[in-house]
Each structure stands twice: as C-alpha cells, then as structure tokens.
Amino acid sequence: MADTGGRHVPPGLRTLSVYRREWLVKDVVAGVVLTTLLVPQGMAYAELAGLPAITGLYTSVLCLLAYAVFGPSRILVLGPDSSLGPMIAATILPLIASDGDSGRAVALASMLSLMVGAITILAGVCRLGFIADLISKPTMIGYMNGLALTILIGQLPKLFGFKTDADGLVAEVRAFVRGLADGKAVGASVTVGVAGIVLILVLQRWLPKVPAVLVMVVLAIAATSAFDLGRHGVSLVGELPRGFPPLSLPHVHWGDFGPLCAGALGIALVSLADTISNASAFAARTGQEVRGNEEMTAIGAANVAAGLFQGFPVSTSGSRTAVAERAGARSQLTGIVGAGLIVLMLVLLPGLFRNLPQPALAAVVITASLSLADIAGTRRLWHQRKAEFLLSITAFLGVALLGVLPGIAVAVGLSILNVFRRAWWPYNTVLGRVPGLPGYHDVRSYPEAEQLPGLVIHRFDGPLFFANAKAFRNHIMRLTRCEPPPVWVLLAAEPMTDVDTTAADELEELDEALNERGMSLVFAELKDPVRHKIERYELTRTIDPAHFYPTLEAAVAAYRAQTGARWPPAAERSPAETALEKPPSG
C-alpha cells in the first residue's frame, strides 16, 4: 500500500521519524522521576477502586506502553486516576457483594476496562469528540467537588486504621463517627496518615519541585521499620506478587454486563472530558496541535491493553504530566522508561513496599482528592452567575447524596437541560436608535433609545423551534397590544439560526393574525440557510417576499419611505445620525 503521509501509522510511531538524539537523556531522567510518582499513586488508586494494590502497577505499565504507541501527545501521561477510582468501585463492588472475592473484583475491573476502551475507540473512529462537551464546566465543578468529598470521607476509616461496610456518603459518615465512638481508631495509624497529609501539602506548597509523595512514602516506610508499626496495629501493604500477569481475557457472568456497561459509559465520558481538557492545556504550552479523535482512540487502546493484563480503566493525569514536563520530558519515551522500571521492580524487588503503611496510601488519595475540589471556581460562579452556581451545587448534591455513577448522570442531565433551557427561553428584546451610536441597540441597556412611530424592531437571540415557537408568537402579539398599534413588526433575525416546521406554522399563523389587524411581519438580516428553509416551507405565500431585507438599515429606510415616519428633528441629532437618517438615493 502506498504511503499516504503516515496517516496509517500509529501517532506514537510517527514521532520516531522526528526524534532527536539530544532528547534521550532528558526523557530517561524524566522517566525515572515519573516512576517515583507512578508507583505509590498507582497502588493507592487501585485500592481506591476496591482492588489489590498490585493491579495499579499492572495498569500503569500497560497504559503507558499503549499510549506510547497510539498517543498523539508527546508528553501526556496516562494512568490510574483518582476521579475514576470511585466510579470503578461503585460499578464492581455491588457485583461482588459481601463475598469479598478479590479475583472476581479484578476480573470485573478488567472487563470494565475493555468496555471503556471499546467505547472510546468507537468514539474516536466515529469522530464523536463532541461527546466530551456534554458536561458543562459548572456541572463538572460541582461533580468534582462531590467526588472530592466522597473520596475524602471514604478514606477516613483507612486513615484511622479501621474498616467500615457502609455504602454512600451519609452512611459512611455515620459509620466513621460510630467507629471513632467505639474506639476503633489506631493511634499509630492516625499519626502516620495525618503526618503524611501534612508533609505532602507542605512540600507541594513550599517546595513544589520536590517529589512530595515519594518523600512521604520513603519516610513512612522508614518509620515502619524503625518503630515496628506493624506490631502497633498499623496495616501494611505487604510483599507484592513477583512478576507480571499473563495476557488473558477476564471471565465474568452474563448478568454482570448490564451494570458494567452503565459504569463504562460514565467512566468513558469522564475520561474523555479529562483527556481532551489535559491534552488542550499541555498542547497550548508546547505548541502542539490537539487531535481529539486520535486522543480518544489512544485512550481506548490504553484501556484495552490494561484490561488484558488484570488492569482497570485509566485516564490522563494532569499532575503526572506536569511532573514529567518539569522533569524535562520530550517524548513518550518518558512513559516507556517509567513502565520498564515498574516491571523491573516487580520482577527483582517485589518486597520493596512491604513496609508501606496503608494510612500512607490513604494520605496519597486524600491529598489527590483535595486537588479535585475547586472551591475558588464555585465561589466565582456565585459572584458571576447564580444560575450556574445552582447547577454546580445540584451536581455536587447528586454525587454526595445519590452516589458517584448517578452523580455523573445528574451532571450530564443538568448540562443538557441547561442547553435546552437557553434555547427554550433565549434572550429577546426591542431595539432602538441611540444618539451618538450607529446601529440599533437594546432598549433595556439604553432606555433613551428612540423608536420610529409605528415600527417595532424585535430581536430574538436563538433558533426558533417547536419548544419556543408558541412563546415567541405570544411575545410578538403582546408587543402589538399598544396604542397606537404598530404598522410593522420588524424582526432583527441575524441571531435566529434555525426555523423548524412547527415554528414555520406558528410564523404563518402570526403573520395572518397581524395582517388581519393591518400590520406586517418583516424580516431583516435573516441568514441564507434559514431563508431557504422558509421558502421551502412555502411561508412566502403569506409573508410578502418583499418583506425580507438584507440589513436593518435597509428595512428601516423602506418603512420610512412607505409611511413617511421620521426620527426626531435633525437639530437634536448628531451629524452622523443626520447622515444615517437620509434615505438611500434612488
């Protein structure tokens, strides 16, 4: 097959043709630095998802290698993600119920990863990148705030050294408080966990170039060895299984596919939104072009690869990508180095994290959850737009009260309803001429705006369709109930992007009702595609074809020529307005 400019070669492999030798040392160093974050976070996010810690390392390796081949971004880093962990847990934990079978949990998570991969690959092939826009920013802020609170509350028992079986935010709060009241908290666990949180936050705030998570993990392991914390009731990670799992297709029951599919759809949506957002942010900083469809395909490939090796769904990570960027990463070789080092650790040093306290992993997750919350963004919504603030709060309550998966459904539903609300009730107003300003302006903003006798200029800022057509008609009829009644109702139709058949029928009835009262419905600045639709609907049978004007000025001039209406005397007007007042010659 002839070469077509490399379009049929995976994006990651295409970068080999432009790879520079001077990048090698920087990529290797960045890969080593990145590994120090990949290992503890991978283990922590695996447990957040209700899975053994080792699966987080398997997942990290496979998604890094797959994205290195299929990913279009040079430095974007994939891996287990704190925002996906609760969604994975909410999907698989009800399916394993109370039997606590970790093998079944891994199989379910792996199948979930395969399903997420299939969905995102299909989205990329079908060029469905717009799906990631189904969650508006206010609802995403609310969703992430709810997710942050859910993660935080869910990790508190682990931080304090005990377990609960509660499900749901309110139940988890009650179970945690009950556990404290019953004296289940382990003092050594609380000390390790709280100290870990404080250390990470302090280092991230005052020494951002220091790998805070790695420093905390090393100190926690050292403290365990020095003070024998295991004998003081602190749970430890223990020795990890040696080696790497074989390629295998996860086995699940047929009855599991329905719940898994629902979870996969929500996870895929959040993953795509996160990926497009991160890809756009880092592409802008590095001068790369964002290839949304290729990004989706690459995310899908990474999820499929993880699912075939006992992994779970992944997404891009803004924090890990930032670490790689600061460490000097120039290409996906950074991720390959990180994956290779994790494999070497699993093969040669599986006991490296034997003495890592579980509260330290809880500290990693809790600090990650704090970064998900956007309190400043919520406060900004309150000051800038109350309606979008209420959307954000509703999305937050959806996650907090209904759960993570219902919460994403609430977020998407709210975003779609918000779009529909804006189309249903678009802004509309009357226009007039303002002394000293060319053109025609909103009388709400300019109460002093002048209007010609017998002429109402109305602007409707949205498409005219079945949901708002009757309201539009009723509004126009209200405008005509004045004394003296208008002669023309002139629609400033430039913002009117569409007219469907229901709206066309309403326009026809509106025109006939106005004609019976001696009035005319007139259009100005109507877009050509919309004008063609009106002609196809045969509305020109009732609406005079001469009542379509290219500009408002042309329509006003025609009205003045027909009726003799005049603006205020020229002595009261500026020279520019006087020039505009003169009707066109001929």
Side-chain angles (χ1 to χ4, degrees), residues 429-434 437-443 446 449-452 455 457-459 490 492 524-525 551-557 560 567 573 580-581:
T429 188
V430 172
L431 304 181
R433 287 187 63 178
V434 180
L437 290 177
Y440 299 88
H441 303 277
D442 189 342
V443 297
Y446 298 92
E450 303 164 345
Q451 300 181 53
L452 280 170
L455 176 66
I457 306 177
H458 180 260
R459 192 184 71 207
L490 173 58
E525 300 181 351
T551 65
L552 281 174
E553 287 76 10
V556 171
R560 290 177 52 227
W567 296 103
R573 304 178 61 78
L580 287 172
E581 179 186 353

Side-chain angles (χ1 to χ4, degrees), residues 293-329:
N293 295 312
E294 288 187 355
E295 289 288 1
M296 287 186 287
T297 303
I299 290 292
N303 276 286
V304 168
L308 293 174
F309 289 88
Q310 300 183 18
F312 52 87
V314 298
S315 180
T316 56
S317 169
S319 61
R320 289 189 287 270
T321 304
V323 168
E325 182 186 48
R326 288 198 301 267

Side-chain angles (χ1 to χ4, degrees), residues 42-55:
M43 297 168 65
Y45 297 160
E47 297 201 342
L48 176 62
L51 299 165
I54 187 65
T55 60

Side-chain angles (χ1 to χ4, degrees), residues 113-311:
S113 186
L114 292 175
M115 296 173 75
V116 171
I119 292 170
T120 49
I121 288 174
L122 181 63
V125 171
C126 297
R127 301 183 179 276
L128 300 178
F130 66 90
I131 292 177
D133 298 327
L134 286 178
I135 310 180
S136 66
K137 187 169 183 179
T139 49
M140 180 58 92
I141 289 175
Y143 173 78
M144 287 299 180
N145 286 341
L147 195 62
L149 181 61
T150 300
I151 294 172
L152 176 62
I153 297 300
Q155 291 294 305
L156 286 179
K158 185 176 178 180
L159 189 77
F160 279 68
F162 62 93
K163 295 182 180 180
T164 66
D165 295 326
D167 184 22
L169 184 65
V170 175
E172 287 179 343
V173 170
R174 290 174 179 168
F176 174 67
V177 173
R178 192 180 305 117
L180 291 181
D182 293 342
K184 293 182 179 180
V186 178
S189 293
V190 176
T191 302
V192 171
V194 172
I197 293 174
V198 172
L199 181 61
I200 291 175
L201 294 178
V202 168
L203 290 179
Q204 288 178 341
R205 175 67 177 85
W206 299 106
L207 297 170
K209 292 186 178 181
V210 174
V213 173
L214 175 64
V215 171
M216 187 276 292
V217 166
V218 170
L219 291 178
I221 293 174
T224 300
S225 303
F227 301 105
D228 199 9
L229 295 180
R231 290 193 176 185
H232 290 81
V234 178
S235 298
L236 305 178
V237 170
E239 188 160 339
L240 300 175
R242 182 183 295 271
F244 206 74
L247 171 68
S248 60
L249 191 65
H251 173 71
V252 298
H253 304 144
W254 282 108
D256 297 331
F257 279 94
L260 287 176
C261 184
L265 287 171
I267 291 171
L269 182 59
V270 172
S271 179
L272 290 179
D274 198 27
T275 297
I276 297 301
S277 174
N278 282 318
S280 300
F282 285 97
R285 290 159 61 171
T286 59
Q288 283 187 270
E289 177 186 355
V290 177
R291 302 186 183 98
N293 295 312
E294 288 187 355
E295 289 288 1
M296 287 186 287
T297 303
I299 290 292
N303 276 286
V304 168
L308 293 174
F309 289 88
Q310 300 183 18

Side-chain angles (χ1 to χ4, degrees), residues 104 211 281 288 362 377 425 484:
R104 176 161 159 72
Q288 283 187 270
W425 298 314

